[in-house]
Amino acid sequence: MPFLWLPVFGMLVTGLLQTPKDAKPPITNLRMEPKYKRLTWELSGNVSDVWCLKGGTHKKRANDNRYCQYLTLSLCKVTNYTVQVGHPPFSAWILFPEPDKNPEAAAANLSCRVHDVDFVTCHWAVGKVASGDSVQYQLFWMDKDNMEHECPRYSKNEHGVHVQCHFYNVTKYPQSFKVMVRGISQGHTVSCTQFHQNMNYYEVLSPPNVTADCNKSHSFMMWQMFSHFTKDFEYDLHILKESQSGKNKNPEVFTAKDIKTEFYTLPNPGAYTVQIRVRADLLNLASAWSTPKRFVCDTDEDERTRVWRTALLVALGTLVMALGTFFFCKRCSLPQKLFPPIPKMKDPIGDNPHDDMMAWEAAQDDCPVTQLQILAEK
């Protein structure tokens, strides 16, 4: 559920270079606006030369003497923010966020990783002094507008406490990924824990799948690498070539390093086993070695098999054609002999004299007809 950031006043302390007690302070209503990462206040009277200090060391001049803008803002680590005024001399400070009475109950060791190309998993441990059966944690991620959204899917430990959050389809989330884990213990809110880093720095690379097109003279290996954040990869291949006299008897082992393409040609391969790993040196990332994959590229037997297969297919095709021709001829001649067409008899009364009539021709197989001649009696 989205969460709307509201101004936080924190713990306000004024003094140090205080104006007279009866005078109105030049700065009032000092507060932090987390949504805009802005420390702001109200001015009273003629005020000049205003500065802001973050954590007592990072000093910057205020914008128009009215606010200080920050690029980053920790929502979990308690930090001192001080405003100093040159004229009249004055200072005030707040703590943001407000300190918690039980900070060691907060989630510990929060970290995230991108894995299997499309997935993000964040995990954490239960705080040192948090009771396992009375604490519960919630993770929130922040979108580009600094709006909070809760974890889509949790994993729990044996006590039913959330200890992992799983995200699918990393392209839906900002590459500069910011998450926070808040907790509630015995009805009281505990300090939050924050993690913020670009996803490409904590991606766990997965080694690609290797395929091969090979024969007796060479093996052409291919693969394809997938990542949403990193494009420049180098590859290492660990190859074990089996001896011709027997498997794993005096094998040849070597490693091909710093391959910048997604293919590699191995001459005279025979039977061999290959493993691959991928590296992104600019990000100091490297995958584990892949599972060994074996290829057999001695094609003498395969050629004989192809010859036999071709001969068998030719013989089978010839047989099918012969059978087809035989049944086709049988089908065309036998029905005509068994069921010759029956001629149409002409009805001299009912038939139209203009209708076509079927000629009655004797078939060659018909019985012989003897012509009879009737002689008139004398």
Side-chain angles (χ1 to χ4, degrees):
M1 179 177 179
F3 177 85
L4 179 63
W5 283 109
L6 298 175
V8 178
F9 293 88
M11 180 183 296
L12 174 63
V13 178
T14 62
L16 296 181
L17 300 174
Q18 183 67 44
T19 56
K21 293 182 180 181
D22 57 346
K24 185 177 181 180
I27 289 181
T28 58
N29 196 20
L30 179 62
R31 63 197 181 276
M32 179 64 72
E33 296 179 342
K35 181 178 179 180
Y36 303 106
K37 303 175 184 176
R38 184 167 60 195
L39 180 67
T40 187
W41 52 86
E42 306 297 336
L43 290 177
S44 177
N46 187 14
V47 178
S48 63
D49 195 23
V50 182
W51 293 79
C52 298
L53 283 84
K54 178 180 178 180
T57 56
H58 298 84
K59 187 175 182 179
K60 64 184 305 182
R61 183 180 291 275
N63 296 62
D64 197 26
N65 292 326
R66 293 183 178 274
Y67 68 92
C68 285
Q69 186 73 48
Y70 292 97
L71 296 177
T72 60
L73 181 68
S74 175
L75 302 177
C76 299
K77 182 181 178 181
V78 178
T79 306
N80 179 296
Y81 292 88
T82 301
V83 178
Q84 293 181 347
V85 180
H87 179 78
F90 179 83
S91 70
W93 57 271
I94 61 170
L95 296 177
F96 177 82
E98 293 187 26
D100 180 52
K101 295 180 180 180
N102 192 12
E104 292 189 348
N109 303 324
L110 173 63
S111 63
C112 299
R113 61 187 179 93
V114 179
H115 60 95
D116 299 315
V117 182
D118 291 312
F119 296 87
V120 179
T121 298
C122 297
H123 54 88
W124 59 91
V126 176
K128 293 180 181 180
V129 299
S131 177
D133 57 355
S134 64
V135 67
Q136 187 56 279
Y137 298 104
Q138 290 177 297
L139 180 142
F140 298 87
W141 65 275
M142 298 183 65
D143 62 21
K144 62 181 180 179
D145 296 321
N146 287 327
M147 298 294 291
E148 289 188 357
H149 308 269
E150 191 172 356
C151 167
R153 186 167 67 90
Y154 289 106
S155 290
K156 303 177 181 180
N157 64 8
E158 64 275 12
H159 300 293
V161 180
H162 298 157
V163 291
Q164 285 189 346
C165 176
H166 307 277
F167 302 86
Y168 174 68
N169 190 5
V170 297
T171 58
K172 292 171 51 178
Y173 304 98
Q175 185 171 347
S176 181
F177 198 49
K178 181 187 295 184
V179 298
M180 291 174 296
V181 176
R182 296 193 181 97
I184 298 178
S185 178
Q186 298 179 349
H188 299 284
T189 302
V190 299
S191 299
C192 69
T193 305
Q194 185 175 357
F195 178 87
H196 182 199
Q197 194 173 20
N198 283 350
M199 287 187 178
N200 57 333
Y201 285 101
Y202 54 87
E203 181 177 15
V204 179
L205 301 177
S206 300
N209 179 48
V210 178
T211 61
D213 183 11
C214 65
N215 54 36
K216 192 172 183 179
S217 63
H218 73 275
S219 176
F220 185 74
M221 288 177 278
M222 300 159 287
W223 57 87
Q224 189 172 4
M225 184 64 193
F226 297 96
S227 172
H228 294 292
F229 311 108
T230 308
K231 301 303 178 184
D232 296 326
F233 296 108
E234 293 184 356
Y235 307 92
D236 299 332
L237 295 177
H238 182 73
I239 299 173
L240 184 149
K241 295 178 67 175
E242 300 171 9
S243 64
Q244 299 297 323
S245 57
K247 182 178 178 181
N248 288 334
K249 183 178 180 180
N250 299 323
E252 179 185 355
V253 181
F254 65 95
T255 301
K257 295 184 177 181
D258 304 329
I259 302 171
K260 299 183 183 299
T261 59
E262 292 187 336
F263 57 87
Y264 182 79
T265 301
L266 179 65
N268 304 317
Y272 70 96
T273 301
V274 63
Q275 291 176 274
I276 188 172
R277 72 176 177 186
V278 58
R279 307 193 324 268
D281 291 341
L282 292 178
L283 300 174
N284 196 26
L285 299 176
S287 73
W289 286 100
S290 66
T291 302
K293 198 167 186 180
R294 186 169 182 263
F295 296 97
V296 179
C297 300
D298 188 353
T299 58
D300 290 343
E301 182 178 355
D302 293 340
E303 291 177 358
R304 291 195 297 269
T305 301
R306 283 197 295 270
V307 171
W308 280 103
R309 186 184 298 112
T310 303
L312 180 61
L313 290 176
V314 171
L316 182 61
T318 304
L319 178 61
V320 170
M321 291 181 62
L323 291 175
T325 303
F326 172 76
F327 284 111
F328 178 78
C329 295
K330 294 274 289 182
R331 181 179 179 185
C332 292
S333 59
L334 185 60
Q336 288 185 349
K337 292 183 178 181
L338 293 178
F339 306 103
I342 300 175
K344 180 179 178 183
M345 301 298 295
K346 181 177 180 181
D347 184 356
I349 298 175
D351 290 347
N352 190 328
H354 298 288
D355 289 343
D356 294 336
M357 299 184 63
M358 179 182 292
W360 191 343
E361 296 180 359
Q364 295 180 357
D365 293 342
D366 289 348
C367 297
V369 178
T370 304
Q371 294 184 356
L372 298 179
Q373 183 178 6
I374 300 176
L375 301 176
E377 295 181 357
K378 293 183 180 181

PDB file of all heavy atoms in Angstrom, residues 79-102:
ATOM      1  N   THR A  79      20.346  10.808  12.238  1.00  0.00           N
ATOM      2  CA  THR A  79      21.363  11.770  11.837  1.00  0.00           C
ATOM      3  C   THR A  79      21.025  13.145  12.409  1.00  0.00           C
ATOM      4  O   THR A  79      19.850  13.531  12.456  1.00  0.00           O
ATOM      5  CB  THR A  79      21.464  11.861  10.295  1.00  0.00           C
ATOM      6  OG1 THR A  79      21.675  10.556   9.765  1.00  0.00           O
ATOM      7  CG2 THR A  79      22.602  12.765   9.872  1.00  0.00           C
ATOM      8  N   ASN A  80      22.048  13.867  12.803  1.00  0.00           N
ATOM      9  CA  ASN A  80      21.883  15.222  13.319  1.00  0.00           C
ATOM     10  C   ASN A  80      21.924  16.211  12.151  1.00  0.00           C
ATOM     11  O   ASN A  80      22.854  16.204  11.339  1.00  0.00           O
ATOM     12  CB  ASN A  80      23.004  15.548  14.320  1.00  0.00           C
ATOM     13  CG  ASN A  80      22.899  16.958  14.877  1.00  0.00           C
ATOM     14  OD1 ASN A  80      23.009  17.937  14.150  1.00  0.00           O
ATOM     15  ND2 ASN A  80      22.710  17.059  16.193  1.00  0.00           N
ATOM     16  N   TYR A  81      20.896  17.077  12.067  1.00  0.00           N
ATOM     17  CA  TYR A  81      20.837  18.141  11.064  1.00  0.00           C
ATOM     18  C   TYR A  81      20.798  19.479  11.822  1.00  0.00           C
ATOM     19  O   TYR A  81      19.876  19.731  12.611  1.00  0.00           O
ATOM     20  CB  TYR A  81      19.599  18.008  10.179  1.00  0.00           C
ATOM     21  CG  TYR A  81      19.644  16.783   9.286  1.00  0.00           C
ATOM     22  CD1 TYR A  81      19.154  15.563   9.748  1.00  0.00           C
ATOM     23  CD2 TYR A  81      20.177  16.848   8.010  1.00  0.00           C
ATOM     24  CE1 TYR A  81      19.191  14.441   8.938  1.00  0.00           C
ATOM     25  CE2 TYR A  81      20.221  15.727   7.191  1.00  0.00           C
ATOM     26  CZ  TYR A  81      19.727  14.524   7.665  1.00  0.00           C
ATOM     27  OH  TYR A  81      19.771  13.416   6.866  1.00  0.00           O
ATOM     28  N   THR A  82      21.807  20.322  11.589  1.00  0.00           N
ATOM     29  CA  THR A  82      21.957  21.589  12.302  1.00  0.00           C
ATOM     30  C   THR A  82      21.856  22.762  11.326  1.00  0.00           C
ATOM     31  O   THR A  82      22.392  22.689  10.206  1.00  0.00           O
ATOM     32  CB  THR A  82      23.307  21.650  13.034  1.00  0.00           C
ATOM     33  OG1 THR A  82      23.381  20.564  13.963  1.00  0.00           O
ATOM     34  CG2 THR A  82      23.481  22.970  13.780  1.00  0.00           C
ATOM     35  N   VAL A  83      21.178  23.812  11.744  1.00  0.00           N
ATOM     36  CA  VAL A  83      21.094  25.054  10.969  1.00  0.00           C
ATOM     37  C   VAL A  83      21.793  26.155  11.771  1.00  0.00           C
ATOM     38  O   VAL A  83      21.478  26.377  12.953  1.00  0.00           O
ATOM     39  CB  VAL A  83      19.633  25.439  10.691  1.00  0.00           C
ATOM     40  CG1 VAL A  83      19.580  26.770   9.930  1.00  0.00           C
ATOM     41  CG2 VAL A  83      18.940  24.349   9.903  1.00  0.00           C
ATOM     42  N   GLN A  84      22.738  26.820  11.120  1.00  0.00           N
ATOM     43  CA  GLN A  84      23.482  27.909  11.754  1.00  0.00           C
ATOM     44  C   GLN A  84      23.204  29.220  11.017  1.00  0.00           C
ATOM     45  O   GLN A  84      23.219  29.250   9.779  1.00  0.00           O
ATOM     46  CB  GLN A  84      24.990  27.629  11.752  1.00  0.00           C
ATOM     47  CG  GLN A  84      25.402  26.457  12.631  1.00  0.00           C
ATOM     48  CD  GLN A  84      26.904  26.225  12.612  1.00  0.00           C
ATOM     49  OE1 GLN A  84      27.624  26.775  11.776  1.00  0.00           O
ATOM     50  NE2 GLN A  84      27.383  25.409  13.539  1.00  0.00           N
ATOM     51  N   VAL A  85      22.951  30.257  11.787  1.00  0.00           N
ATOM     52  CA  VAL A  85      22.669  31.585  11.230  1.00  0.00           C
ATOM     53  C   VAL A  85      23.828  32.513  11.596  1.00  0.00           C
ATOM     54  O   VAL A  85      24.219  32.606  12.774  1.00  0.00           O
ATOM     55  CB  VAL A  85      21.342  32.142  11.774  1.00  0.00           C
ATOM     56  CG1 VAL A  85      21.060  33.532  11.195  1.00  0.00           C
ATOM     57  CG2 VAL A  85      20.203  31.182  11.466  1.00  0.00           C
ATOM     58  N   GLY A  86      24.361  33.221  10.564  1.00  0.00           N
ATOM     59  CA  GLY A  86      25.452  34.165  10.815  1.00  0.00           C
ATOM     60  C   GLY A  86      24.964  35.463  11.436  1.00  0.00           C
ATOM     61  O   GLY A  86      25.600  36.017  12.338  1.00  0.00           O
ATOM     62  N   HIS A  87      23.819  35.969  10.935  1.00  0.00           N
ATOM     63  CA  HIS A  87      23.274  37.225  11.471  1.00  0.00           C
ATOM     64  C   HIS A  87      21.758  37.127  11.528  1.00  0.00           C
ATOM     65  O   HIS A  87      21.106  36.908  10.502  1.00  0.00           O
ATOM     66  CB  HIS A  87      23.673  38.401  10.574  1.00  0.00           C
ATOM     67  CG  HIS A  87      23.123  39.700  11.058  1.00  0.00           C
ATOM     68  ND1 HIS A  87      23.681  40.403  12.116  1.00  0.00           N
ATOM     69  CD2 HIS A  87      22.039  40.444  10.642  1.00  0.00           C
ATOM     70  CE1 HIS A  87      22.991  41.512  12.313  1.00  0.00           C
ATOM     71  NE2 HIS A  87      21.994  41.566  11.429  1.00  0.00           N
ATOM     72  N   PRO A  88      21.193  37.295  12.722  1.00  0.00           N
ATOM     73  CA  PRO A  88      21.873  37.327  14.028  1.00  0.00           C
ATOM     74  C   PRO A  88      22.384  35.932  14.391  1.00  0.00           C
ATOM     75  O   PRO A  88      21.855  34.928  13.900  1.00  0.00           O
ATOM     76  CB  PRO A  88      20.747  37.769  14.969  1.00  0.00           C
ATOM     77  CG  PRO A  88      19.504  37.260  14.330  1.00  0.00           C
ATOM     78  CD  PRO A  88      19.717  37.361  12.851  1.00  0.00           C
ATOM     79  N   PRO A  89      23.397  35.837  15.237  1.00  0.00           N
ATOM     80  CA  PRO A  89      23.962  34.532  15.572  1.00  0.00           C
ATOM     81  C   PRO A  89      22.901  33.626  16.214  1.00  0.00           C
ATOM     82  O   PRO A  89      22.238  34.008  17.188  1.00  0.00           O
ATOM     83  CB  PRO A  89      25.084  34.878  16.558  1.00  0.00           C
ATOM     84  CG  PRO A  89      25.417  36.298  16.288  1.00  0.00           C
ATOM     85  CD  PRO A  89      24.133  36.945  15.885  1.00  0.00           C
ATOM     86  N   PHE A  90      22.766  32.438  15.624  1.00  0.00           N
ATOM     87  CA  PHE A  90      21.742  31.518  16.120  1.00  0.00           C
ATOM     88  C   PHE A  90      22.027  30.127  15.543  1.00  0.00           C
ATOM     89  O   PHE A  90      22.614  29.994  14.459  1.00  0.00           O
ATOM     90  CB  PHE A  90      20.343  31.995  15.679  1.00  0.00           C
ATOM     91  CG  PHE A  90      19.221  31.097  16.115  1.00  0.00           C
ATOM     92  CD1 PHE A  90      18.687  31.203  17.388  1.00  0.00           C
ATOM     93  CD2 PHE A  90      18.713  30.139  15.251  1.00  0.00           C
ATOM     94  CE1 PHE A  90      17.644  30.376  17.776  1.00  0.00           C
ATOM     95  CE2 PHE A  90      17.674  29.310  15.646  1.00  0.00           C
ATOM     96  CZ  PHE A  90      17.139  29.429  16.916  1.00  0.00           C
ATOM     97  N   SER A  91      21.583  29.103  16.249  1.00  0.00           N
ATOM     98  CA  SER A  91      21.666  27.732  15.723  1.00  0.00           C
ATOM     99  C   SER A  91      20.545  26.898  16.317  1.00  0.00           C
ATOM    100  O   SER A  91      20.061  27.172  17.432  1.00  0.00           O
ATOM    101  CB  SER A  91      23.025  27.102  16.041  1.00  0.00           C
ATOM    102  OG  SER A  91      23.134  26.831  17.428  1.00  0.00           O
ATOM    103  N   ALA A  92      20.145  25.901  15.545  1.00  0.00           N
ATOM    104  CA  ALA A  92      19.140  24.936  15.991  1.00  0.00           C
ATOM    105  C   ALA A  92      19.395  23.622  15.274  1.00  0.00           C
ATOM    106  O   ALA A  92      19.982  23.592  14.178  1.00  0.00           O
ATOM    107  CB  ALA A  92      17.732  25.455  15.703  1.00  0.00           C
ATOM    108  N   TRP A  93      18.952  22.528  15.863  1.00  0.00           N
ATOM    109  CA  TRP A  93      19.184  21.226  15.223  1.00  0.00           C
ATOM    110  C   TRP A  93      18.060  20.259  15.573  1.00  0.00           C
ATOM    111  O   TRP A  93      17.340  20.427  16.555  1.00  0.00           O
ATOM    112  CB  TRP A  93      20.532  20.630  15.620  1.00  0.00           C
ATOM    113  CG  TRP A  93      20.754  20.449  17.104  1.00  0.00           C
ATOM    114  CD1 TRP A  93      21.289  21.355  17.961  1.00  0.00           C
ATOM    115  CD2 TRP A  93      20.437  19.286  17.875  1.00  0.00           C
ATOM    116  NE1 TRP A  93      21.341  20.865  19.230  1.00  0.00           N
ATOM    117  CE2 TRP A  93      20.826  19.587  19.211  1.00  0.00           C
ATOM    118  CE3 TRP A  93      19.894  18.050  17.599  1.00  0.00           C
ATOM    119  CZ2 TRP A  93      20.662  18.674  20.252  1.00  0.00           C
ATOM    120  CZ3 TRP A  93      19.730  17.127  18.618  1.00  0.00           C
ATOM    121  CH2 TRP A  93      20.114  17.435  19.932  1.00  0.00           C
ATOM    122  N   ILE A  94      17.909  19.239  14.709  1.00  0.00           N
ATOM    123  CA  ILE A  94      16.956  18.158  14.929  1.00  0.00           C
ATOM    124  C   ILE A  94      17.640  16.833  14.633  1.00  0.00           C
ATOM    125  O   ILE A  94      18.679  16.787  13.953  1.00  0.00           O
ATOM    126  CB  ILE A  94      15.696  18.282  14.036  1.00  0.00           C
ATOM    127  CG1 ILE A  94      16.078  18.217  12.555  1.00  0.00           C
ATOM    128  CG2 ILE A  94      14.905  19.549  14.360  1.00  0.00           C
ATOM    129  CD1 ILE A  94      14.876  18.098  11.626  1.00  0.00           C
ATOM    130  N   LEU A  95      17.056  15.761  15.140  1.00  0.00           N
ATOM    131  CA  LEU A  95      17.477  14.402  14.800  1.00  0.00           C
ATOM    132  C   LEU A  95      16.445  13.789  13.869  1.00  0.00           C
ATOM    133  O   LEU A  95      15.235  13.835  14.147  1.00  0.00           O
ATOM    134  CB  LEU A  95      17.620  13.540  16.060  1.00  0.00           C
ATOM    135  CG  LEU A  95      18.701  13.956  17.055  1.00  0.00           C
ATOM    136  CD1 LEU A  95      18.669  13.046  18.276  1.00  0.00           C
ATOM    137  CD2 LEU A  95      20.077  13.919  16.400  1.00  0.00           C
ATOM    138  N   PHE A  96      16.928  13.256  12.762  1.00  0.00           N
ATOM    139  CA  PHE A  96      16.024  12.596  11.823  1.00  0.00           C
ATOM    140  C   PHE A  96      16.663  11.290  11.335  1.00  0.00           C
ATOM    141  O   PHE A  96      17.818  11.306  10.914  1.00  0.00           O
ATOM    142  CB  PHE A  96      15.714  13.496  10.627  1.00  0.00           C
ATOM    143  CG  PHE A  96      14.836  12.804   9.620  1.00  0.00           C
ATOM    144  CD1 PHE A  96      13.461  12.769   9.808  1.00  0.00           C
ATOM    145  CD2 PHE A  96      15.391  12.156   8.515  1.00  0.00           C
ATOM    146  CE1 PHE A  96      12.658  12.114   8.887  1.00  0.00           C
ATOM    147  CE2 PHE A  96      14.576  11.500   7.602  1.00  0.00           C
ATOM    148  CZ  PHE A  96      13.206  11.479   7.788  1.00  0.00           C
ATOM    149  N   PRO A  97      15.881  10.192  11.369  1.00  0.00           N
ATOM    150  CA  PRO A  97      14.566  10.063  12.020  1.00  0.00           C
ATOM    151  C   PRO A  97      14.699  10.065  13.531  1.00  0.00           C
ATOM    152  O   PRO A  97      15.809  10.001  14.059  1.00  0.00           O
ATOM    153  CB  PRO A  97      14.079   8.708  11.503  1.00  0.00           C
ATOM    154  CG  PRO A  97      15.330   7.937  11.253  1.00  0.00           C
ATOM    155  CD  PRO A  97      16.337   8.922  10.753  1.00  0.00           C
ATOM    156  N   GLU A  98      13.585  10.123  14.204  1.00  0.00           N
ATOM    157  CA  GLU A  98      13.629  10.164  15.653  1.00  0.00           C
ATOM    158  C   GLU A  98      14.233   8.870  16.196  1.00  0.00           C
ATOM    159  O   GLU A  98      13.934   7.780  15.697  1.00  0.00           O
ATOM    160  CB  GLU A  98      12.220  10.361  16.226  1.00  0.00           C
ATOM    161  CG  GLU A  98      11.622  11.718  15.914  1.00  0.00           C
ATOM    162  CD  GLU A  98      10.308  11.932  16.641  1.00  0.00           C
ATOM    163  OE1 GLU A  98      10.128  11.309  17.705  1.00  0.00           O
ATOM    164  OE2 GLU A  98       9.485  12.699  16.142  1.00  0.00           O
ATOM    165  N   PRO A  99      15.072   8.956  17.201  1.00  0.00           N
ATOM    166  CA  PRO A  99      15.715   7.744  17.726  1.00  0.00           C
ATOM    167  C   PRO A  99      14.709   6.809  18.377  1.00  0.00           C
ATOM    168  O   PRO A  99      13.704   7.228  18.935  1.00  0.00           O
ATOM    169  CB  PRO A  99      16.705   8.308  18.756  1.00  0.00           C
ATOM    170  CG  PRO A  99      16.170   9.663  19.111  1.00  0.00           C
ATOM    171  CD  PRO A  99      15.495  10.185  17.891  1.00  0.00           C
ATOM    172  N   ASP A 100      15.010   5.514  18.242  1.00  0.00           N
ATOM    173  CA  ASP A 100      14.143   4.484  18.801  1.00  0.00           C
ATOM    174  C   ASP A 100      14.710   4.022  20.139  1.00  0.00           C
ATOM    175  O   ASP A 100      15.931   3.997  20.352  1.00  0.00           O
ATOM    176  CB  ASP A 100      14.056   3.304  17.818  1.00  0.00           C
ATOM    177  CG  ASP A 100      13.169   2.194  18.328  1.00  0.00           C
ATOM    178  OD1 ASP A 100      12.024   2.480  18.697  1.00  0.00           O
ATOM    179  OD2 ASP A 100      13.641   1.042  18.372  1.00  0.00           O
ATOM    180  N   LYS A 101      13.817   3.626  21.033  1.00  0.00           N
ATOM    181  CA  LYS A 101      14.248   3.196  22.357  1.00  0.00           C
ATOM    182  C   LYS A 101      14.916   1.823  22.328  1.00  0.00           C
ATOM    183  O   LYS A 101      15.651   1.474  23.252  1.00  0.00           O
ATOM    184  CB  LYS A 101      13.047   3.167  23.301  1.00  0.00           C
ATOM    185  CG  LYS A 101      12.442   4.539  23.558  1.00  0.00           C
ATOM    186  CD  LYS A 101      11.264   4.442  24.505  1.00  0.00           C
ATOM    187  CE  LYS A 101      10.648   5.816  24.765  1.00  0.00           C
ATOM    188  NZ  LYS A 101       9.491   5.744  25.687  1.00  0.00           N
ATOM    189  N   ASN A 102      14.649   1.040  21.274  1.00  0.00           N
ATOM    190  CA  ASN A 102      15.186  -0.312  21.199  1.00  0.00           C
ATOM    191  C   ASN A 102      15.767  -0.548  19.810  1.00  0.00           C
ATOM    192  O   ASN A 102      15.235  -1.340  19.026  1.00  0.00           O
ATOM    193  CB  ASN A 102      14.083  -1.325  21.508  1.00  0.00           C
ATOM    194  CG  ASN A 102      14.630  -2.717  21.736  1.00  0.00           C
ATOM    195  OD1 ASN A 102      15.841  -2.903  21.891  1.00  0.00           O
ATOM    196  ND2 ASN A 102      13.756  -3.710  21.736  1.00  0.00           N
TER     197      ASN A 102
END
